[in-house]
Amino acid sequence: MPSSTDRKRLEVPTYLHDRLVEIAIDEDRTVASVAQEVIAAGLQHYAPAINPNRDFLRITKRARTALAFAREETISFNHAYIGTEHILLGLLREGEGVAARVLNKLDVDLEKGRAFIRDHIGRGSGAVPAREDPAYAPRARKVLHFATEEADSYDHHFIGTEHLLLALIRVNDGMAARMLSTFGVLSAVQTETLRVMLGYESEQSVASL
């Protein structure tokens, strides 16, 4: 750990420091305790930034296709962001990966998903952003991060549609998880995805004998 003389000093903007002081005085607390509470609250909602070398390098062709379809879904709904709900639609549109097969088996299809978004979110207003412009929303960024963790947990050197689907249900406050919960299949998604993954690995083991 660098010594105190080597560390960079954190410069807090004056208006933020003044606001912290105001809160501390109003609540009869120290500035440090207020700052700690603010930081703790912020970390609860923290979402990792997109790192192409970390988040996309290992993604399979089908998973990339699903994410490309997710981006297109934002355009059709006139949304200026890529959310967990768009990723779920992208997985359904991809159609051939583990995620699509699991979802279709559980009677979750593309039109059903789109109808849910129309009913619960609706279309956006204003100008439609260019196709390359929509950014991943914080919860969608968590999905990409969790997908990497899911792949690592199974010692997979790739990130497939199955890992994206497992990541979606981990973000339990996201719209995709809410959609699956409303359809009554949230827990079944995890069970069925793991069953397909383990079955595939068993087939690969037998084939290698």
Side-chain angles (χ1 to χ4, degrees):
M1 185 173 182
S3 67
S4 58
T5 56
D6 294 330
R7 295 178 203 157
K8 292 183 179 180
R9 182 177 178 182
L10 177 62
E11 297 291 342
V12 179
T14 301
Y15 72 92
L16 289 180
H17 179 267
D18 290 346
R19 181 60 182 140
L20 290 174
V21 171
E22 289 177 4
I23 295 173
I25 292 173
D26 289 343
E27 299 183 3
D28 193 22
R29 300 165 57 187
T30 64
V31 173
S33 70
V34 175
Q36 288 174 349
E37 183 177 318
V38 170
I39 292 170
L43 288 175
Q44 287 182 343
H45 301 286
Y46 168 73
I50 297 297
N51 181 333
N53 292 326
R54 178 194 66 207
D55 298 318
F56 294 112
L57 191 62
R58 296 161 54 192
I59 288 185
T60 64
K61 182 178 179 181
R62 284 177 178 167
R64 287 178 183 272
T65 298
L67 292 176
F69 283 149
R71 189 175 294 276
E72 290 182 4
E73 290 296 324
T74 68
I75 304 300
S76 64
F77 281 101
N78 205 18
H79 295 162
Y81 62 91
I82 301 174
T84 62
E85 63 272 25
H86 304 114
I87 294 177
L88 184 59
L89 292 185
L91 292 172
L92 286 165
R93 270 187 68 181
E94 186 278 328
E96 298 179 353
V98 171
R101 284 187 280 145
V102 166
L103 292 168
N104 287 328
K105 183 175 181 179
L106 296 174
D107 197 31
V108 179
D109 58 33
L110 184 59
E111 289 310 312
K112 196 172 180 178
R114 284 174 174 165
F116 181 92
I117 293 178
R118 284 194 296 268
D119 293 341
H120 292 80
I121 301 177
R123 287 181 51 80
S125 58
V128 177
R131 285 183 182 269
E132 65 273 11
D133 285 348
Y136 285 93
R139 290 184 181 89
R141 295 203 303 271
K142 283 185 179 180
V143 168
L144 298 179
H145 179 68
F146 287 159
T148 301
E149 289 186 354
E150 289 293 331
D152 290 343
S153 71
Y154 294 100
D155 293 325
H156 293 166
H157 300 297
F158 62 91
I159 299 172
T161 63
E162 59 269 41
H163 304 115
L164 288 172
L165 184 56
L166 290 174
L168 279 174
I169 61 178
R170 279 181 63 181
V171 183
N172 53 23
D173 58 347
M175 188 56 70
R178 179 181 170 188
M179 184 190 305
L180 295 172
S181 179
T182 300
F183 295 159
V185 299
L186 186 61
S187 60
V189 164
Q190 182 175 25
T191 302
E192 183 64 19
T193 303
L194 294 179
R195 188 191 68 78
V196 173
M197 288 170 61
L198 293 174
Y200 176 77
E201 289 182 353
S202 297
E203 290 175 4
Q204 292 295 97
S205 298
V206 171
S208 64
L209 294 178

